[in-house]
Amino acid sequence: MRSVRLGRTGEQVSQLALGAMLMGTSTDEATSVGMLERYLEAGGTFIDTADCYAWWPGPGLTGGESEELLGRWLAKSGKRDEIFLATKGSAWVRDAEAIRSGDGSYETMAAQWVGAGGDTLRQAIDGSLRRLGTDHVDLYYVHVDDRSTPLEETLEALAEIVAAGKARYIGWSNVRTWRLERIRALAEKNGWPAPVAVQQQHSYLRPKAGLDSLSNVESIVDDEQVDYLRANDDLTLVAYSPILKGIYDDPAKREGHPIMSLYAGPDADARLAALTEVAAELDVTPNQLVISWLLHQTDPELITLMGPRTPEQLETALAASDIKLTEDQLDRLDNAGA
């Protein structure tokens, strides 16, 4: 598995990162441990989680389950020094049951987030470290951009976390480009650590024009953000949901799937047609081809974050890293669209 640099930190991390979101809940402990070991065996080094993972798979879950499982695995395996470990704060929910029994709206969920206040983050990192059984994480993200808290308060708290050795680097997730620029300017002005990674939803399909809902566009990489990342190579994109819930492999699944409301249209139709054609040439699945396409990107170079629920899904993603695309195939994929 190829490694790439993380911003200008000097760190090299695996280009294919492993998301542990469902480990300890939808994926049982034994299966999760097997997947973690398989990922390391394949050359992976970058493991991603969050303090709120995962309250949503069922009753009685509150968040922290993924970090706790990773903590048990690290304690038993002794492999903490072999991985680059990332976690996130600010999206812990105050009352998970209220969301599960609510109307399912973004607003209902967002009302339960604890946010990125200074004291909240200081307490959150301590909780994460306790569950993970480690004295530091390598990368600590603000999970959801909190516009109700002054950025100065959030950044100062993150600077304290880094100064205390509890996190080596910071990142931001689900954030718009203009906010990233403000975050970076404040960090430079005050001598605080700036984000080295931005974790956003990013895939082969492009978001359709006119999206204006916070829940729709807050986490999706658009053309403006790609341009921003090209101009600022000290900030690395970590692309989550690369296969968009697996819709690329299944035309029937795409019909009526909520995630397609962000992409559906002539541009998506043209890109899906190109994807299907190239996948058939290579005898791979469209999902695999999307991961391979992301791994081939160099302008900007990025990290692809997979979140498999089963060992079979993990193997499918790992196999994608061996797919070699010709210049012609890349050109056809890149230039497809309406």
Side-chain angles (χ1 to χ4, degrees):
M1 191 181 302
R2 194 165 74 89
S3 293
V4 297
R5 64 186 183 87
L6 183 69
R8 298 179 192 157
T9 64
E11 299 286 343
Q12 291 283 322
V13 298
S14 54
Q15 192 182 23
L16 196 57
L18 177 63
M21 181 173 70
L22 297 177
M23 293 184 180
T25 53
S26 296
T27 307
D28 65 40
E29 185 135 358
T31 303
S32 298
V33 168
M35 291 166 67
L36 290 162
E37 295 288 351
R38 173 68 180 112
Y39 173 69
L40 264 64
E41 177 187 275
T45 61
F46 191 171
I47 296 177
D48 178 273
T49 187
D51 62 356
C52 66
Y53 294 163
W55 56 264
W56 54 91
L61 302 174
T62 60
E65 292 85 2
S66 172
E67 290 182 331
E68 288 172 349
L69 183 144
L70 288 172
R72 291 189 292 272
W73 170 65
L74 290 171
K76 187 173 182 179
S77 68
K79 293 182 177 179
R80 174 65 185 91
D81 293 340
E82 296 181 28
I83 65 171
F84 188 90
L85 180 61
T87 194
K88 314 178 195 74
S90 78
W92 182 276
V93 297
R94 299 178 179 90
D95 186 348
E97 194 53 46
I99 303 175
R100 284 192 288 262
S101 61
D103 59 10
S105 69
Y106 172 87
E107 290 75 18
T108 296
M109 180 173 62
Q112 291 291 339
W113 287 332
V114 294
D119 287 342
T120 299
L121 289 177
R122 293 181 190 97
Q123 294 168 15
I125 186 64
D126 287 343
S128 288
L129 295 178
R130 182 177 64 254
R131 288 185 290 271
L132 290 164
T134 185
D135 61 358
H136 75 282
V137 293
D138 298 293
L139 178 60
Y140 191 59
Y141 291 99
V142 173
H143 197 164
V144 287
D145 190 31
D146 176 11
R147 299 189 191 180
S148 65
T149 300
L151 281 171
E152 292 87 346
E153 179 182 340
T154 300
L155 283 162
E156 185 172 22
L158 291 170
E160 292 175 14
I161 287 168
V162 172
K166 296 178 181 180
R168 298 174 61 210
Y169 307 106
I170 69 162
W172 233 269
S173 185
N174 303 308
V175 59
R176 296 196 189 190
T177 306
W178 68 268
R179 288 278 288 179
L180 271 176
E181 178 64 13
R182 186 169 296 178
I183 289 162
R184 286 159 51 86
L186 285 170
E188 182 176 6
K189 176 183 176 182
N190 292 283
W192 294 326
V196 303
V198 56
Q199 188 175 133
Q200 309 278 79
Q201 183 169 300
H202 183 53
S203 187
Y204 175 64
L205 291 186
R206 297 182 286 215
K208 64 184 181 183
L211 295 176
D212 60 2
S213 167
L214 183 67
S215 59
N216 283 346
V217 300
E218 192 65 358
S219 62
I220 301 178
V221 174
D222 58 11
D223 290 344
E224 180 182 24
Q225 194 154 101
V226 169
D227 183 58
Y228 187 82
L229 291 165
R230 285 174 180 150
N232 296 280
D233 66 356
D234 56 331
L235 189 61
T236 295
L237 172 62
V238 179
Y240 76 76
S241 291
I243 59 172
L244 300 179
K245 314 296 184 185
I247 56 92
Y248 291 105
D249 277 359
D250 189 349
K253 187 175 184 179
R254 289 198 292 273
E255 292 295 328
H257 196 291
I259 205 164
M260 286 304 295
S261 66
L262 310 177
Y263 302 95
D267 187 71
D269 292 343
R271 288 176 80 80
L272 286 167
L275 189 76
T276 301
E277 180 181 271
V278 175
E281 291 174 6
L282 294 167
D283 193 25
V284 300
T285 70
N287 280 341
Q288 286 179 310
L289 182 55
V290 168
I291 294 174
S292 176
W293 177 81
L294 287 165
L295 295 175
H296 277 77
Q297 299 307 298
T298 58
D299 188 27
E301 192 170 56
L302 54 87
I303 294 164
T304 302
L305 175 60
M306 56 177 172
R309 181 176 52 83
T310 66
E312 292 75 20
Q313 290 173 351
L314 173 62
E315 292 300 331
T316 296
L318 291 175
S321 65
D322 294 327
I323 298 170
K324 304 301 181 186
L325 301 177
T326 66
E327 287 189 16
D328 172 69
Q329 289 166 335
L330 279 170
D331 285 342
R332 285 153 57 199
L333 291 170
D334 291 342
N335 295 321

